[in-house]
Amino acid sequence: MTDLHWQKSTYSETASSCVYLATPSAGTILLRESDEPETMLITGPLQLAALISTLHTPHRSPRA
């Protein structure tokens, strides 16, 4: 893989495990964590937006 420009997520704390993103080509996003930089998740912008939206949505407790 070519040299990638990795950008730290703005949601990552300064001294904690950090998430990094890179875009090797249009429509492709790579994600990695600082603890395991050789392990990468490949996704697309729509899928990443859906994940972030889901994580930001307050979850309701199931009705009893």
Side-chain angles (χ1 to χ4, degrees):
M1 201 172 281
T2 62
D3 290 330
L4 298 170
H5 172 72
W6 290 96
Q7 179 179 340
K8 185 170 98 170
S9 168
T10 57
Y11 291 102
S12 295
E13 297 289 328
T14 331
S16 68
S17 297
C18 300
V19 174
Y20 290 86
L21 293 92
T23 54
S25 63
T28 303
I29 298 172
L30 298 177
L31 301 169
R32 72 177 187 188
E33 185 184 5
S34 57
D35 290 346
E36 294 188 46
E38 59 281 338
T39 303
M40 291 177 255
L41 173 71
I42 302 171
T43 190
L46 295 177
Q47 295 83 359
L48 182 58
L51 173 64
I52 292 170
S53 176
T54 299
L55 295 174
H56 278 280
T57 303
H59 296 287
R60 298 183 209 182
S61 299
R63 292 184 179 179

